[in-house]
Amino acid sequence: SDGISPTMPRFLPDGKSILFVRFEPDGRGFLHPDLFRWEIASSRVERLTRKADLREPDPGPDGTWALALRNRDGLSQVVRVDLRDGAVQAVTEPTVDIVYDQPRVSPDGRRAVYARHSTQNGGDWRLAVRDLTSGAESDLASPPGATVSSPAWSGDGKTVYATVGSGGFVDVWAFPLDPAGPPIPLTRTPGAALAPAPTPDGKALFYLGMQADGLDLRRLDLGGISSPTPEIATLPALPAGELAPAVRPPAPPPPTPFAVAEVPPGHPYGIGRQELFPLLSGSATAASAVAELGVRGGDVVGRLDWLVLGGTGSAGSFRGGTAAAAYRGWPVTLAFQLFDTRELPSRQEGHLRGTPARSGVLDLEQRGGEVRAEWDRQFGPTRLRLAGGGLWTAIDPRGGETANRTLGFLDAGSWTSQSRGLSYLEEGLSFHGESGSSFRRYGGNLTLGLGHDDDGLRLSVRRERASGTPRAYDLVQVGGYGTSLLPDSALAGRVAVPALPAGTLLGRNYLGERAELRLGFLPAPLFYERHRMDSGNWLRLAGLEWRFAIDPQPIVRIPAIDFRVGAARVFDAPLKGDTRLWLVTVLRP
């Protein structure tokens, strides 16, 4: 479900439910293995733990608890999990020197067996039996140099079965406990005998047999087996050194122990060591072009990320400079951006007749700053984002009166997806609103997508509205492209359509619709979209566009990047019959 596969299944004692492990993301998208219970008859799945980092569960005889393996921060331990409330209790202490694997509970629930790897025993995997009441632990004798894995209890709790790799063979062995005795090989195969699972009555066991054509499920009759058969006992071991790497060669001498020293006292990380990286980006369309040059700085974990950019280009493009930074040391990201830009849409290249941009009402210089707080979290397949802040701008329109504009803004969005095999369904809903002294502007976008493998269809609808007494540059604009020089709140009233010149449409009420078809054999998705302002005529266009976006990657010193490249044909006035090309890059800290 949702693209996350269940793993490591184990039947609960009642035979009606299965305990399994599934990797689930935390709020920041990191995956943690957790325990789930599947009730087979009702198909109900219940999550038992959260961010517990548990693997290889094995339920106790009453089904109310289980042993599991916890690997966290490089430490390994065996834990006991209450299946009623998800509480976790340590059975062994977490350690980096010993690695545990595949804990299995005895039928009476009093003992556990698990595979254990330690440098103290020569680096081999061995089996250990632990009394769960007293904590006493003992090793099970195994052939010299053998590797032991996949332990399983017999139904009466007197024998442990396991896979043993020794002398070039991988076979199932029996380890008698009550009474104790030497291990007994049960198979001898040129392939491998893996993952033994005895039947409760002790008369047989199942195992996976690996042959040249793959894995088979096999059943071995255990009736009367109490000692090695002559055929197995007298087979010679294969020479180890000549068959490497198919057979493990003799172990090298142990390495020199690491020198032990006191850990020096720590010190506050602060903003970390700042590393610089040059930036070069830009955008080009049929109407204008701009080149951006600057530098990005920040620490290796991305607590503080900043960039300084300058841009210049054709007469109708964005020109100016910006300094932006984001601090991610708290649950809420704090960001600011200072800018000083000039934009002259009336001087764009190409045919502008009949567009609001031609009149020059959108030509302006603006400088100011934005302060933003953003909360972004991942919950399973769902991502939530909430942002808010303020924008101050001093605007100098060409041929108009200089004005100071202060506004507050709020952005919110939710995106989720579901999948079954290679098929998927995705939904997205976002909203934004800006409030100034003389106007209000708000809008939203609804997206629905479905697909299978590399093919998919995505539909989206966007509405925008401005109220009050907005100036021309406060209205909703259609056309143009984004820029790294201005913050998102300064561009909130613009519907970026790189195929159209900036200011192609201008008004109070906007409606846009887009359909995007992705086909695996095409290099970019096909799209059809149309735009309408104030209940006027539709402006339609179609083409193909490839989009690429990544979040900041501080370890390689790259800021957030939004990249678009495409081509489209316009079907309606004022650009009817034009074929337009574009390439757009936007950078954010």
Side-chain angles (χ1 to χ4, degrees):
S1 177
D2 302 330
I4 305 176
S5 300
T7 61
M8 308 174 192
R10 302 289 289 177
F11 270 106
L12 287 168
D14 60 7
K16 299 178 181 180
S17 304
I18 290 179
L19 190 66
F20 68 90
V21 174
R22 198 165 74 180
F23 285 74
E24 290 284 348
D26 61 15
R28 295 189 177 274
F30 295 102
L31 295 176
H32 298 269
D34 275 303
L35 301 190
F36 291 76
R37 177 167 46 217
W38 175 34
E39 297 176 359
I40 302 173
S42 64
S43 297
R44 178 174 177 264
V45 174
E46 178 186 5
R47 185 171 183 174
L48 304 177
T49 64
R50 294 186 179 275
K51 295 188 288 186
D53 298 313
L54 302 177
R55 297 173 171 86
E56 297 288 350
D58 191 57
D62 61 1
T64 63
W65 61 277
L67 289 186
L69 179 70
R70 168 176 277 177
N71 289 328
R72 176 181 286 177
D73 301 326
L75 303 176
S76 179
Q77 71 175 138
V78 178
V79 297
R80 175 174 174 144
V81 186
D82 192 317
L83 301 182
R84 294 165 294 190
D85 59 11
V88 178
Q89 179 183 359
V91 174
T92 66
E93 293 301 317
T95 174
V96 72
D97 298 320
I98 301 174
V99 180
Y100 298 97
D101 195 22
Q102 300 166 317
R104 294 294 180 255
V105 183
S106 64
D108 59 7
R110 298 168 54 191
R111 293 180 294 177
V113 63
Y114 39 75
R116 187 181 63 184
H117 179 279
S118 172
T119 55
Q120 298 177 357
N121 59 22
D124 293 330
W125 282 95
R126 298 185 182 180
L127 295 183
V129 175
R130 184 183 186 93
D131 189 299
L132 296 178
T133 302
S134 66
E137 189 174 282
S138 60
D139 287 347
L140 297 183
S142 57
T147 295
V148 186
S149 65
S150 303
W153 289 92
S154 64
D156 56 11
K158 297 181 178 181
T159 305
V160 170
Y161 301 98
T163 295
V164 177
S166 176
F169 292 96
V170 180
D171 287 290
V172 174
W173 289 54
F175 294 79
L177 298 182
D178 301 320
I184 304 170
L186 303 181
T187 65
R188 191 65 154 182
T189 171
L194 309 168
T199 58
D201 59 10
K203 296 181 179 180
L205 65 79
F206 292 92
Y207 68 93
L208 294 177
M210 177 179 286
Q211 302 297 330
D213 58 351
L215 288 170
D216 290 321
L217 180 62
R218 296 184 177 275
R219 183 181 184 275
L220 176 66
D221 187 359
L222 295 177
I225 294 181
S226 61
S227 62
T229 63
E231 296 78 13
I232 293 179
T234 58
L235 280 176
L238 297 177
E242 292 82 354
L243 296 180
V247 177
R248 186 174 64 177
T256 304
F258 287 108
V260 178
E262 293 294 328
V263 177
H267 57 85
Y269 182 80
I271 62 173
R273 186 182 70 180
Q274 298 296 293
E275 299 180 336
L276 302 181
F277 187 74
L279 296 177
L280 176 63
S281 65
S283 302
T285 71
S288 63
V290 61
E292 298 172 347
L293 180 65
V295 62
R296 177 265 175 194
D299 59 295
V300 70
V301 301
R303 175 170 286 188
L304 176 65
D305 200 13
W306 58 269
L307 56 83
V308 177
L309 286 174
T312 185
S314 62
S317 65
F318 291 97
R319 297 182 179 186
T322 186
Y327 181 74
R328 299 182 174 88
W330 297 318
V332 174
T333 299
L334 295 181
F336 79 90
Q337 184 166 354
L338 302 176
F339 56 90
D340 188 340
T341 64
R342 182 179 67 175
E343 182 186 8
L344 305 176
S346 65
R347 300 186 184 180
Q348 297 176 97
E349 300 291 337
H351 178 67
L352 298 178
R353 186 173 59 189
T355 67
R358 178 66 180 271
S359 65
V361 296
L362 300 178
D363 292 356
L364 53 88
E365 296 181 6
Q366 53 181 328
R367 54 195 171 276
E370 180 204 66
V371 177
R372 170 185 295 263
E374 183 172 306
W375 180 83
D376 194 329
R377 287 295 182 272
Q378 189 83 26
F379 300 97
T382 302
R383 180 183 181 185
L384 299 177
R385 185 178 66 84
L386 182 65
L391 174 72
W392 173 85
T393 315
I395 297 178
D396 182 12
R398 290 299 179 98
E401 181 181 353
T402 301
N404 293 326
R405 180 178 65 175
T406 301
L407 59 85
F409 63 88
L410 178 67
D411 299 338
S414 173
W415 300 267
T416 188
S417 64
Q418 303 84 37
S419 64
R420 293 285 183 182
L422 296 179
S423 300
Y424 65 88
L425 176 68
E426 57 185 15
E427 308 92 28
L429 177 64
S430 61
F431 167 83
H432 74 91
E434 298 82 43
S435 177
S437 59
S438 62
F439 78 99
R440 304 288 185 273
R441 190 175 57 223
Y442 50 90
N445 191 74
L446 176 64
T447 302
L448 176 65
L450 66 154
H452 179 82
D453 201 7
D454 292 332
D455 305 324
L457 175 65
R458 179 179 295 167
L459 306 174
S460 60
V461 178
R462 179 173 177 177
R463 292 297 304 265
E464 301 287 342
R465 178 177 173 82
S467 61
T469 56
R471 300 177 178 90
Y473 47 78
D474 292 324
L475 295 170
V476 182
Q477 302 179 37
V478 175
Y481 49 88
T483 176
S484 310
L485 304 179
L486 290 174
D488 289 340
S489 58
L491 298 168
R494 306 191 187 196
V495 180
V497 184
L500 304 176
T504 298
L505 300 177
L506 183 69
R508 288 176 175 266
N509 294 283
Y510 163 78
L511 173 62
E513 301 171 349
R514 179 182 173 104
E516 187 175 290
L517 178 64
R518 188 177 71 252
L519 301 173
F521 62 87
L522 291 179
L526 300 170
F527 75 89
Y528 170 83
E529 63 185 37
R530 60 181 188 172
H531 309 272
R532 185 171 67 182
M533 190 69 70
D534 298 331
S535 301
N537 295 326
W538 287 104
L539 175 55
R540 301 166 300 157
L541 59 151
L544 53 86
E545 182 181 49
W546 183 71
R547 298 186 181 188
F548 173 74
I550 60 171
D551 291 330
Q553 306 294 315
I555 198 168
V556 291
R557 298 181 289 181
I558 297 177
I561 300 174
D562 186 6
F563 180 81
R564 302 171 66 174
V565 58
R569 183 81 168 178
V570 184
F571 301 125
D572 299 297
L575 302 170
K576 183 176 182 179
D578 283 4
T579 298
R580 320 281 289 189
L581 307 176
W582 64 90
L583 184 152
V584 177
T585 304
V586 177
L587 305 179
R588 297 281 185 232

